[in-house]
Amino acid sequence: MAHSTAHPDSQSATDQDVAERLLRSAAKLSYDPAVEVDWETPLDKDFHGQSPEWNSLYGTAYWNEMTEEQRKELTRQESASVASTGIWFEMILQQMVLRDIYRMDHTDPRFQWALTEIADECRHSIMFARGSQKLGAPAYRPKRAVMELGRFMKTVGFGEAAYAGILVAEEVLDVMQRDWMRDERVVPFVRTINNIHVVEESRHMKFARDETRRHLARASRARRHFQALVVAIAAYYIITSLVNPEVYVRAGLDPERARREAAANEHYKAQLRASCSGLMEFLADVGMLTRPALFFYQRAHLV
C-alpha cells in the first residue's frame, strides 16, 4: 500500500482545507427537519415505509403469503427500526468524536467542523425519532447486552475508531436511503427524511474517511489491529440490530417463522454486501480489514 510522504505541516493544512470546504458546504446546503419534513399530514397507509426490496423478508415464502397491507406495515415498522438503530449508534459516535476533539485548538476548522457534524447528528436523531413516531412505531432498541457493548465501545474506541465507525454506520444507510428517497412507493415524508440524511451525511463520510487516514498514519500495528477489531465488532452489532424482531409482531406475523426466514434470506444478505462494497475497499486500503475483523464482517454478511 502506498503511503503519503507529505510534510506534517502541509498535511495539516490540507486537512484544514477539507474542513473549511465542508463548513462552507454546510452553510450553503443544510436542512431544518422541523421545517422541511411534512409532520402535519396524517400517515397514508397506502405507502410503504421503505423500498420493499430492502425488507428483511422480501423474496421469502413468507413475503409471498403476506397481504399487501401486511407488507406495507412491515416496511413501515422496519423503516422505524432502522431509524432507531441509527439514533442509538449516532449517540455513541457523538461521544467518541467529542472526546477526540476535547483538546483540539478551537480555531482549527476541523474542531469547528466536528461540532457542526455533531449538531447535524442531533437534528438527525430528532428527525428519526419523530419519523418513527409518525410511522406508528415504538422506540425500538437493541438488546440490553448490545446496549452495554455500545457503552464499552465508546469507552475504549478512540481516534480512527470513531471515524471508521461513522463510515460503517453511514455507508450502509446511505445506499439504502438513496433507494428509498427515489422510490415513489415510499411515503413522502420518509423520502424527505432520507434525502436530508443522504445530503448531510455525504459531508460526514468525506470527513470520516480523511480523519481515519490521518489517525492511522501515526498508529502502530498493534493499535491498528485493535481498532480494526473494535470497528468490526461494532459493525456486526449495528447490522444485526437494524431489524428488531418486534417489527414482525407489530405487522401481525409469526415472529419465530419470520426470524427464521429473514435469517436465511439470501436476497437481503446480497443487498447488505452490495451496499458495503465501497466501505470494504476503503477499510482494506487503510489496513483495517484484518483477518479477525473480516470474521465479523462475514458474520454480518457485509462481505
Side-chain angles (χ1 to χ4, degrees):
M1 186 193 339
H3 294 279
S4 172
T5 57
H7 189 277
D9 289 341
S10 64
Q11 184 61 46
S12 177
T14 300
D15 294 336
Q16 290 181 355
D17 288 344
V18 169
E20 286 176 345
R21 288 199 301 273
L22 292 172
L23 284 166
R24 289 194 296 270
S25 174
K28 291 179 181 177
L29 187 58
S30 290
Y31 298 94
D32 180 357
V35 175
E36 299 289 342
V37 180
D38 178 6
W39 301 114
E40 303 304 321
T41 302
L43 174 66
D44 187 341
K45 293 191 175 183
D46 285 336
F47 287 94
H48 289 275
Q50 63 181 171
S51 295
E53 292 78 9
W54 273 100
N55 190 266
S56 63
L57 288 179
Y58 182 85
T60 65
Y62 208 171
W63 178 269
N64 293 334
E65 294 172 21
M66 291 161 60
T67 66
E68 192 61 22
E69 289 73 21
Q70 283 179 312
R71 292 173 182 170
K72 289 174 180 175
E73 181 60 30
L74 182 60
T75 64
R76 289 193 292 268
Q77 294 298 320
E78 284 203 14
S79 177
S81 180
V82 169
S84 295
T85 303
I87 293 170
W88 162 64
F89 202 66
E90 282 182 346
M91 288 194 291
I92 294 172
L93 296 175
Q94 287 174 52
Q95 294 177 71
M96 293 171 69
V97 171
L98 277 172
R99 191 167 68 245
D100 187 58
I101 66 171
Y102 183 66
R103 296 185 61 213
M104 189 181 291
D105 180 350
H106 298 175
T107 66
D108 190 324
R110 287 178 299 140
F111 175 86
Q112 295 169 25
W113 167 255
L115 289 183
T116 300
E117 180 170 329
I118 290 168
D120 286 348
E121 298 295 13
C122 288
R123 289 196 307 276
H124 293 170
S125 292
I126 295 169
M127 175 176 71
F128 286 152
R130 292 185 68 182
S132 297
Q133 185 178 21
K134 185 167 180 176
L135 285 168
Y140 291 115
R141 291 185 179 89
K143 296 176 183 177
R144 178 64 183 268
V146 176
M147 295 283 284
E148 295 307 316
L149 280 171
R151 291 184 192 276
F152 177 74
M153 181 188 177
K154 71 180 180 61
T155 301
V156 303
F158 59 91
E160 59 274 12
Y163 299 102
I166 288 171
L167 289 174
V168 166
E170 302 300 349
E171 292 256 1
V172 177
L173 287 179
D174 183 70
V175 174
M176 185 185 295
Q177 291 180 332
R178 284 178 188 272
D179 285 348
W180 300 3
M181 74 186 199
R182 300 186 184 108
D183 192 339
E184 294 185 355
R185 297 170 296 175
V186 175
V187 65
F189 84 91
V190 168
R191 295 177 64 194
T192 302
I193 287 173
N194 292 331
N195 182 68
I196 291 172
H197 197 245
V198 164
V199 169
E200 296 187 346
E201 288 297 338
S202 66
R203 294 190 288 261
H204 300 184
M205 290 189 289
K206 166 62 177 171
F207 187 69
R209 285 174 181 260
D210 289 349
E211 286 296 293
T212 299
R213 289 188 185 278
R214 188 174 69 83
H215 281 279
L216 285 172
R218 57 177 183 270
S220 66
R221 183 177 184 275
R223 169 174 154 173
R224 178 170 53 81
H225 277 248
F226 172 74
Q227 296 284 60
L229 185 59
V230 168
V231 172
I233 293 171
Y236 172 78
Y237 285 108
I238 294 166
I239 297 303
T240 56
S241 297
L242 285 176
V243 180
N244 189 302
E246 182 65 19
V247 302
Y248 304 126
V249 177
R250 303 279 296 194
L253 304 179
D254 175 351
E256 292 304 316
R257 180 186 173 188
R259 291 176 71 172
R260 285 197 307 272
E261 295 206 19
N265 189 354
E266 293 301 326
H267 171 82
Y268 184 70
K269 295 174 187 177
Q271 292 279 84
L272 291 176
R273 285 193 294 272
S275 72
C276 281
S277 59
L279 171 63
M280 292 301 129
E281 288 177 10
F282 174 78
L283 293 176
D285 186 49
V286 298
M288 293 191 78
L289 200 59
T290 60
R291 183 171 296 178
L294 189 60
F295 169 79
F296 285 96
Y297 291 125
Q298 289 171 333
R299 286 199 65 191
H301 308 294
L302 300 184
V303 289

